[in-house]
Structures are given as structure tokens and as C-alpha cells.
């Protein structure tokens, strides 16, 4: 197994990654606030998390990932009131749109997508514990975390209480005793949605949601917590304070943050108006694959300056890879002994790819292994000298690369029409209607899909050379 090193923001060092449980990674990802369409700046962060997830799986780990949906929050409440609908009615279409965008960008599904509004009891329990232990205080109808009680406060962000960044801290309408103390429970205000609690009716603050939901699904200590760099302070700093104060245990073992997507040197943000949604770019006829490739291929710890030139370049690179992939699929060459040098060099590319990803997701290294395979193999296709076994290995390796890149295979699309046909065939077989079953099998074969009936059920795969 390739040794994995990850840059831990907590130590500001690349560290050897050792998960709590061998072979299994538990990770939490701060998800979107679903008050509008998500922009591609947000997707840069979600793409980094997809790369992390896919790379860890590629390197042999099982991944359990949680991504929360913030569905109760000041902006949502304001917008839903203006529209005269409930927060649930307001957020529903944006949640749907978010999942559609994830699918279009081929971002793998997390195992859990908890909504804040479904986990209010867990948040209340955590706040109660903090009150019991003396870390939280009530003021008017709200409850706050007292950061002076948590000496480790500021360790992650290295921002000290009293410093400049602190003085800029949320000048929200909730009065607290000290700058830096943050709200855990917001007392009910007229016309706002609220939940009953031992501290009176109200709603949770933002930070508590991530502590409560991450620990609920992943345990009091888990492996990786990710987010965009702007989440580090105060959000993640506050998550550490709340969680560790309540449990007395280390909250997260590896913190990972991605740098921002910039436009003309400035962070892409809703508030700045300098953003594009996926839908904007789709209307301009850019492909999802090119957008995915662009967001994926700058190392996550470097800022990514968004330009249309770069997007066009990504489109070209994706086309080249797709073209190679399809040529390889269709290629039929001579039957001959495989050349050990060709075979070794393909195997070596896969090792380089894995080693690069294991080195703190060095995507440039990984991509250069992919292009280098293409450069080595392409001329052999043109010359028609690539042997059968060599071609099969090259194709298999490209398919393996795509487990991480996610731009070549149309698996999702295939599944959409293959799976219903398989179900129909199974039904026919149960009814002993073998004529229909055979017709469906033949129909699929014609479209390049081979069915295999096993004791576990029917499996399908793409027809390859030699079938
Ligand atoms: P939000 O919906 O604002 O909570 O953001 C969701 C995620 O997107 C968070 O992890 C943010 O850090 C991240 N994010 C916001 N803007 C950008 C940007 N311009 N570039 C990269 N990530 C961003
Ligand atoms: Zn969060």
C-alpha cells in the first residue's frame, strides 16, 4: 500500500496519514448553505474533497464521508420571509439543484448528507453539556461559548484572542460578553422559525451544527475534517472548542483546507457578485467535464485563478484524453507476445499516479503520469504495433486513472439505461419468459454490454477486446 501523506493545517506540516481504524477513513466536509445556487468557487472546495475521497479509495481505503447541509441560517430566514414561504419550502429547490450539480460534476456521493434542521436534538444535547461543564453562558435569550474557558482556542488558525482578526469578528446583532465568544443557541425572534429547548425557544448557531452532526455520524474523534480556507477561522476553531470542551477528547486528527477560487485576484463570492454558477457556464456551452478538470487540476493548497482561457484549455485537455481513451477502446491490433518494456512502463505509470496522489494529493504529478501514458501509447496505436495484451493493460490503467479523474467513463449514464433493462430481464426470467430474457440480452450485447448471471445476481460489464 502506498504511504499517504497529507498536509495537516493543525500542524502546518505534511504528516504520514494513519487512520484511527486500519483501512478506514472517517471524514467530515462542511457543506453548502442552501439559500441559493452554489457557485463554482464552492465547487472548487467540493472538488478538492472529491479528489481526496477518490484518492483515498484508489489507495485502498474505505471512506465514510459526511457532508452537512446548512438549511437554517440568517440569509435563508430572511429570503424565505421575503418570499412568504417556510424555510423548508425555500431551501428544497436549492438542495435539489445542489445534488443535480454534484451529479453533473461527477462528484461522488458522500455516505451521509445530514440537514441541520434534522439534528436539533443532537445540538441541544451538546449545548447542555457545555452549560453543565461551565463553558457556555446565557445572555438574554441566547447561549454563548466562553472562549476564555478553552485555553487551546486559536491553535488551529493561530489567531490569538485580542488580535486584529478578532476585532473583525462577527458584529452580529447578538450581544455577547466578549469579542470572540460565539453563539450556540439564538433566542427566538418574532417571525423566525424556532425549536423548543431547555434554554427556551430558538434556533442553533451555525458552528454547533457541524460539531453535533460530525460527532453523531463519525464518533467523538474522527480522521479528517475538510473545508475551504475561509472556514478555518472562526468556524473550525469554534468547532474544535465546542467539541473538545464537551467530550474532553481530540475532535479531529487531520484538518485539511483548500485555497480559494479567485477572479482577478479576488475570492469568488456571492457577496462580491463576481461568481458563476455551474448553470451559468453550462449556458455558455462549457462542458461539465472541462469544469471538473479545471477545478481538479490545480493543487488544492494553491489558489486557482478562474479564467475562460483556462477553461478552454481544460476543454482541450479533456478532449485529448477522451479521444485517446476511445481510440484505445476501439483499437484492434496484432496478436503478439507482449513487450515487457511496454508492459512495465504502463505499470510504472500507475505507480507514479498512486505515489503522486499519496503525496498530499499531488495532482500535477498524477496528471503527468496520465499524459505520459498517452504519449507513450498513442504512437503505437498509430503504427498499429500495440499488441493485444498491451492495449488491454493500457485501457485498464486508463480506467483506473478515471476512478480518480472521473472524466472518461460515462458510468452514470450507462447505468441509467442498463439497470432498468437488467431488471426487466430478471422479471422475465422469473416468469420463465425466456424469449424476452434472451431478446434483452441480445439487445444489450448489440450496444456493447455483456451480462453475466452469477449466484449473486446478474452482473454487467462493457464488452472489451477478446469478448
Ligand atoms: P458556504 O456555502 O459559503 O458555507 O460555502 C461552502 C464551501 O465553499 C465552504 O467550504 C467554503 O469554504 C467554500 N468556498 C466559498 N467560497 C469559495 C471560493 N471562492 N473558493 C473555494 N472555496 C470556497
Ligand atoms: Zn462546518
Amino acid at each position: 500500500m502506498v504511504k499517504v501523506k497529507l498536509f495537516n493545517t493543525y500542524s502546518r506540516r505534511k504528516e504520514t496519514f494513519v487512520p484511527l481504524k486500519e483501512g478506514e477513513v472517517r471524514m467530515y466536509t462542511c457543506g453548502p448553505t442552501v439559500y441559493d445556487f452554489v457557485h463554482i468557487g464552492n465547487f472548487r472546495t467540493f472538488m478538492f474533497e472529491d479528489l481526496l475521497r477518490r484518492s483515498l479509495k484508489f489507495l485502498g481505503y474505505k471512506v465514510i464521508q459526511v457532508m452537512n447541509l446548512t438549511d437554517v441560517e440568517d440569509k435563508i430566514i430572511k429570503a424565505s420571509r421575503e418570499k412568504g414561504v417556510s424555510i423548508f419550502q425555500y431551501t428544497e429547490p436549492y438542495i435539489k439543484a445542489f445534488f443535480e450539480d454534484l451529479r453533473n460534476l461527477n462528484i461522488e456521493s458522500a455516505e451521509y448528507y445530514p440537514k441541520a434542521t434534522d439534528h436539533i436534538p443532537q445540538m441541544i444535547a451538546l449545548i447542555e453539556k457545555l452549560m453543565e461543564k461551565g463553558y457556555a453562558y446565557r445572555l438574554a435569550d441566547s447561549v454563548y461559548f466562553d472562549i476564555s474557558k478553552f485555553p487551546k482556542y486559536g491553535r488551529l488558525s493561530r489567531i490569538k484572542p485580542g488580535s486584529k482578526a478578532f476585532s473583525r469578528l462577527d458584529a452580529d446583532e447578538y450581544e455577547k460578553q466578549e469579542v470572540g465568544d460565539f453563539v450556540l443557541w439564538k433566542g427566538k425572534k418574532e417571525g423566525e422559525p424556532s425549536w423548543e429547548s431547555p434554554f427556551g425557544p430558538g434556533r442553533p448557531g451555525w458552528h454547533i451544527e457541524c460539531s453535533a452532526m460530525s460527532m453523531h455520524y463519525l464518533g467523538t474523534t474522527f480522521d479528517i475534517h475538510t473545508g475551504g480556507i475561509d472556514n478555518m477561522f472562526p468556524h473550525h476553531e469554534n468547532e474544535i472548542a465546542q467539541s473538545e470542551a464537551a467530550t474532553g477528547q481530540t475532535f479531529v486528527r487531520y484538518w485539511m483546507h483548500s485555497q480559494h477560487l479567485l477572479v482577478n485576484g479576488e475570492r469568488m463570492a456571492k457577496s462580491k457578485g463576481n461568481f458563476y454558477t455551474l448553470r451559468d457556464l453550462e449556458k455558455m456551452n462549457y462542458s461539465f467535464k472541462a469544469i471538473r478538470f479545471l477545478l481538479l487540476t490545480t493543487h488544492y493548497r494553491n489558489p486557482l485563478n478562474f479564467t475562460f482561457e483556462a477553461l478552454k484549455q481544460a476543454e482541450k485537455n479533456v478532449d485529448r484524453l477522451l479521444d485517446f481513451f476511445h481510440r484505445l477502446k476501439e483499437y484492434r491490433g496484432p496478436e503478439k507476445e507482449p513487450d515487457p518494456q511496454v508492459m512495465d512502463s504502463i505499470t510504472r505509470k500507475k505507480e507514479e499516479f498512486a505515489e503522486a496522489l499519496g503525496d498530499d494529493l499531488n495532482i500535477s504529478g498524477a496528471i503527468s503520469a496520465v499524459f505520459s501514458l498517452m504519449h507513450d501509447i498513442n504512437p503505437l496505436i498509430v503504427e498499429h504495433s500495440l499488441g493485444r495484451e498491451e492495449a488491454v493493460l493500457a485501457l485498464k490503467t486508463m480506467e483506473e486513472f478515471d476512478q480518480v479523474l472521473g472524466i472518461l467513463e460515462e458510468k452514470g449514464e450507462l447505468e441509467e439505461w442498463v439497470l432498468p433493462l437488467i431488471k426487466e430481464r430478471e422479471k422475465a426470467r422469473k416468469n420463465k419468459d425466456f424469449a424476452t430474457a434472451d431478446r434483452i440480452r441480445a439487445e444489450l450485447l448489440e450496444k456493447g454490454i455483456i451480462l453475466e448471471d452469477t449466484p449473486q445476481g446478474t452482473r454487467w460489464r462493457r464488452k472489451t477486446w477478446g469478448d
Side-chain angles (χ1 to χ4, degrees):
M1 206 171 181
V2 173
K3 199 161 153 189
V4 177
K5 287 194 158 194
L6 299 175
F7 185 88
N8 189 348
T9 317
Y10 201 81
S11 64
R12 304 290 194 277
R13 270 198 211 105
K14 255 194 224 178
E15 294 177 15
T16 301
F17 175 65
V18 186
L20 266 179
K21 188 171 162 199
E22 208 185 321
E24 188 176 291
V25 182
R26 296 180 157 254
M27 72 182 219
Y28 186 85
T29 303
C30 286
T33 307
V34 283
Y35 80 101
D36 203 343
F37 294 111
V38 167
H39 60 70
I40 57 164
N42 302 128
F43 278 118
R44 189 209 180 179
T45 293
F46 301 138
M47 192 63 77
F48 141 66
E49 287 144 350
D50 186 53
L51 175 64
L52 176 61
R53 172 192 171 87
R54 285 172 178 260
S55 299
L56 289 168
K57 282 172 70 178
F58 185 82
L59 297 170
Y61 293 94
K62 177 181 170 196
V63 174
I64 301 167
Q65 182 189 5
V66 178
M67 181 194 275
N68 69 306
L69 302 173
T70 301
D71 63 346
V72 52
E73 174 270 355
D74 300 352
K75 289 191 288 285
I76 293 176
I77 294 173
K78 188 164 171 273
S80 65
R81 281 174 75 175
E82 280 166 13
K83 250 186 137 179
V85 296
S86 72
I87 53 168
F88 303 103
Q89 286 165 322
Y90 182 82
T91 53
E92 197 201 69
Y94 294 117
I95 293 176
K96 227 172 117 209
F98 176 61
F99 284 112
E100 224 172 82
D101 288 353
L102 289 183
R103 262 197 307 280
N104 282 330
L105 280 179
N106 201 10
I107 290 179
E108 270 191 11
S109 282
E111 279 58 32
Y112 302 95
Y113 288 103
K115 287 181 190 162
T117 53
D118 288 336
H119 296 76
I120 306 284
Q122 287 86 349
M123 299 181 213
I124 292 175
L126 195 56
I127 299 171
E128 277 190 294
K129 196 156 217 182
L130 291 171
M131 297 272 276
E132 257 167 51
K133 289 188 152 189
Y135 287 100
Y137 61 88
R138 294 181 70 145
L139 194 67
D141 294 329
S142 299
V143 181
Y144 297 87
F145 188 93
D146 179 351
I147 61 165
S148 70
K149 297 263 166 60
F150 189 75
K152 269 167 74 182
Y153 195 87
R155 279 267 182 96
L156 172 71
S157 59
R158 306 196 176 177
I159 292 175
K160 291 211 171 65
S163 65
K164 222 171 168 189
F166 246 76
S167 58
R168 281 202 305 269
L169 264 181
D170 50 358
D172 61 22
E173 68 249 64
Y174 293 88
E175 279 304 321
K176 44 213 144 196
Q177 283 172 356
E178 293 293 336
V179 176
D181 286 358
F182 55 91
V183 68
L184 298 167
W185 187 258
K186 297 179 169 182
K188 180 178 164 66
K189 287 191 179 159
E190 201 39 50
E192 285 191 356
S194 65
W195 287 261
E196 288 305 320
S197 85
F199 345 104
R203 61 186 169 101
W206 171 39
H207 313 296
I208 196 75
E209 104 180 43
C210 285
S211 286
M213 295 198 280
S214 60
M215 292 198 288
H216 178 69
Y217 288 94
L218 301 172
T220 48
T221 304
F222 56 92
D223 298 304
I224 304 179
H225 193 315
T226 62
I229 191 72
D230 57 300
N231 278 169
M232 178 173 69
F233 182 81
H235 184 49
H236 292 162
E237 198 69 64
N238 293 352
E239 280 189 45
I240 296 177
Q242 301 160 147
S243 311
E244 299 197 354
T247 68
Q249 319 256 329
T250 299
F251 175 45
V252 166
R253 304 176 68 238
Y254 301 86
W255 284 93
M256 295 181 73
H257 294 98
S258 59
Q259 289 294 327
H260 284 143
L261 182 80
L262 310 177
V263 187
N264 298 325
E266 268 201 88
R267 173 185 163 195
M268 181 176 281
K270 277 268 146 65
S271 56
K272 295 192 175 127
N274 61 351
F275 64 91
Y276 293 100
T277 65
L278 208 53
R279 284 133 211 273
D280 295 334
L281 298 181
E282 188 190 8
K283 275 192 208 125
M284 296 159 95
N285 285 326
Y286 289 101
S287 75
F288 294 125
K289 288 184 177 189
I291 302 166
R292 178 176 170 91
F293 194 78
L294 178 70
L295 296 178
L296 199 66
T297 45
T298 295
H299 190 258
Y300 76 95
R301 283 195 288 117
N302 290 330
L304 164 55
N305 203 23
F306 175 79
T307 62
F308 284 100
E309 285 70 53
L311 188 51
K312 282 177 195 141
Q313 188 56 44
E315 198 87 69
K316 277 191 194 141
N317 283 331
V318 169
D319 282 348
R320 284 168 67 204
L321 287 171
L322 273 172
D323 181 56
F324 172 61
F325 186 61
H326 290 141
R327 265 146 53 101
L328 201 50
K329 256 189 187 161
E330 280 151 25
Y331 178 78
R332 300 289 178 268
E335 288 287 345
K336 59 166 201 172
E337 275 296 302
D339 179 343
Q341 246 183 337
V342 173
M343 297 296 272
D344 283 354
S345 100
I346 299 172
T347 307
R348 184 72 208 124
K349 297 294 183 286
K350 187 181 161 189
E351 287 163 5
E352 282 168 20
F353 183 80
E355 277 160 22
L357 292 175
D359 180 15
D360 193 33
L361 309 180
N362 172 6
I363 190 69
S364 320
I367 292 283
S368 76
V370 178
F371 276 98
S372 146
L373 178 93
M374 181 173 87
H375 288 143
D376 288 358
I377 300 298
N378 240 341
L380 305 181
I381 295 180
V382 175
E383 287 168 12
H384 210 72
S385 65
L386 190 70
R388 192 178 92 82
E389 278 179 57
E390 295 155 0
V392 168
L393 183 64
L395 182 60
K396 187 168 157 269
T397 306
M398 285 300 285
E399 282 169 350
E400 284 169 341
F401 288 160
D402 200 47
Q403 289 168 13
V404 177
L405 300 182
I407 52 165
L408 302 177
E409 288 275 26
E410 307 290 348
K411 188 107 180 143
E413 281 172 35
L414 266 182
E415 274 169 356
E416 260 173 43
W417 63 267
V418 172
L419 295 183
L421 282 175
I422 290 182
K423 274 214 180 109
E424 205 182 312
R425 178 171 169 270
E426 273 169 4
K427 213 161 113 196
R429 281 187 358 141
K430 256 197 203 135
N431 296 335
K432 307 229 179 304
D433 176 4
F434 296 112
T436 303
D438 287 348
R439 181 184 51 73
I440 294 173
R441 176 193 279 278
E443 190 185 319
L444 282 168
L445 188 63
E446 188 138 305
K447 290 180 175 149
I449 303 296
I450 293 188
L451 298 186
E452 286 163 335
D453 293 315
T454 73
Q456 289 79 37
T458 304
R459 294 217 180 107
W460 65 275
R461 64 181 171 82
R462 234 191 245 273
K463 195 168 148 188
T464 58
W465 190 2
D467 280 320

